[in-house]
Amino acid sequence: MRHLPRTFLRVVPISQPAGPPKISFEFLPPKSEAAAVQLWATIDALKPLQPRFVSVTYGAGGSTRETTFETVKRLAHHAGLAAAAHLTCVGSSRAEIRDLLQRYWEIGIRHIVALRGDPPANDPAFRPHPDGYEYAADLVAGIRAAGDFEISVAAFPEGHPQAQDLDSDIANLKRKIDAGATRAITQYFFDAATYLRFRDRAAAAGITAPLVPGILPVTNFAQVVKFSRLCGSAIPPWLAELFDGLDDDPETRKLVAAMVATEQCRALRAEGVDEFHFYTLNRADLTLGICRRLGLKPAPAAGLAGGLAAQPVPPAVDPTIG
């Protein structure tokens, strides 16, 4: 078993959490009817774990705005889950964002995940809307002014790819917290020591808000390598070695993925971490297994007659409307 290098500042007092950890899940808005069926089957499977909240992403360039809205609405009204909507600066004016926040408020949504966001794929350079928000901290302040929302933001243990360095990125995180954010959810990482060093540096910079580790169970190693190049997450050599030769062995890949994520969470738990945010990629199997190994057992699901997956799937929504 690997041992964590003891290279932390130890700014954060360590106490071993009692009982199972708190958890939350991220889902992707479906792009087709088949994807919607898989999403709601995944939610059926994960709901009994009683997550603190679940979030729905927004799509590059805000491309899934209406699909995200309808998915969040159904999660809250039909699944009975505390749902959070992702919202970005990209492609929207301040007035449009204010109107969307009003719509969320009217349907009972009180939690927003505020991000600068990724530009559309055909225009990789970020350009703020002429009448919009340029930075996530500005968006947080706008959300705070619009209503009493709970606001989560992003944190980057290895630094945002466009940040000058990690210290400047932590300073940006502090601006988001100072603007009104209540927690930060980290980009995924694979070495627990990476998070622990980041947590201590953030504490040294005066950040006291919770920094919730983002956990990505690896379903497709090649895709994770590709995405990691874009988002700045390091792939440790030991992780590449574990997945080497498993391209045509999906069952062993699942076993390895569950082992890696479970060990990662256990290492963090030993350092006082008591909450995790899982990037599910709309799949339940790995997340279920990992949570079980962490001591979380599904509670009986009440009020889901036949399950959400058995209910009619809402019609596809044109994301350009509204």
Side-chain angles (χ1 to χ4, degrees):
M1 179 178 290
R2 297 182 310 278
H3 295 281
L4 297 178
R6 298 293 175 176
T7 55
F8 319 123
L9 301 177
R10 283 285 180 239
V11 173
V12 179
I14 300 302
S15 61
Q16 182 68 35
K22 298 180 284 290
I23 55 171
S24 55
F25 303 131
E26 179 185 283
F27 300 118
L28 310 173
K31 296 181 179 180
S32 66
E33 184 170 337
V37 170
Q38 177 175 326
L39 168 63
W40 298 109
T42 296
I43 292 165
D44 271 350
L46 294 178
K47 178 184 174 178
L49 291 173
Q50 299 179 304
R52 287 188 74 181
F53 68 90
V54 297
S55 70
V56 183
T57 64
Y58 198 59
S63 56
T64 65
R65 178 171 58 181
E66 290 303 315
T67 311
T68 295
F69 181 89
E70 293 299 327
T71 303
V72 168
K73 180 179 178 181
R74 191 177 183 207
L75 280 166
H77 291 188
H78 296 282
L81 292 166
H86 287 220
L87 185 60
T88 76
C89 301
V90 181
S92 296
S93 67
R94 296 185 180 215
E96 288 171 327
I97 288 174
R98 186 169 56 249
D99 290 345
L100 184 55
L101 289 169
Q102 181 64 33
R103 291 174 64 196
Y104 277 122
W105 189 269
E106 289 172 354
I107 64 170
I109 301 303
R110 298 292 185 268
H111 188 174
I112 302 294
V113 180
L115 310 163
R116 193 204 70 175
D118 299 320
N122 60 358
D123 186 12
F126 174 76
R127 296 182 180 86
H129 189 285
D131 299 316
Y133 296 105
E134 184 171 3
Y135 300 109
D138 302 327
L139 176 60
V140 169
I143 297 169
R144 179 60 64 219
D148 189 20
F149 288 98
E150 181 179 2
I151 305 172
S152 297
V153 294
F156 300 86
E158 296 167 270
H160 189 281
Q162 296 176 5
Q164 181 178 351
D165 52 40
L166 186 55
D167 285 336
S168 64
D169 201 38
I170 289 174
N172 184 53
L173 174 59
K174 190 171 190 308
R175 283 191 289 272
K176 292 187 285 188
I177 300 297
D178 291 346
T182 48
R183 77 166 55 76
I185 301 169
T186 78
Q187 177 62 276
Y188 69 84
F189 55 92
F190 294 108
D191 269 328
T194 298
Y195 169 86
L196 296 170
R197 285 191 294 267
F198 173 75
R199 182 183 67 174
D200 284 346
R201 290 177 74 164
I207 294 172
T208 58
L211 303 176
V212 181
I215 305 298
L216 176 67
V218 178
T219 56
N220 185 313
F221 184 70
Q223 288 183 356
V224 168
V225 170
K226 181 179 179 180
F227 186 68
S228 296
R229 292 194 187 104
L230 300 175
C231 71
S233 293
I235 301 292
W238 58 261
L239 186 66
E241 183 179 350
L242 282 174
F243 283 96
D244 185 39
L246 297 181
D247 292 349
D248 299 320
D249 190 349
E251 293 306 313
T252 303
R253 279 206 315 270
K254 286 183 181 180
L255 291 173
V256 171
M259 176 196 70
V260 167
T262 301
E263 184 176 327
Q264 180 183 17
C265 291
R266 285 177 168 172
L268 293 170
R269 291 274 286 166
E271 296 288 338
V273 176
D274 68 348
E275 185 170 359
F276 301 101
H277 185 73
F278 288 93
Y279 297 111
T280 70
L281 303 181
N282 293 2
R283 297 173 61 95
D285 48 1
L286 286 177
T287 300
L288 274 172
I290 295 160
C291 288
R292 185 77 180 211
R293 294 293 300 274
L294 295 176
L296 288 149
K297 296 182 179 180
L304 287 179
L308 284 166
Q311 299 178 17
V313 176
V317 178
D318 184 347
T320 64
I321 295 176

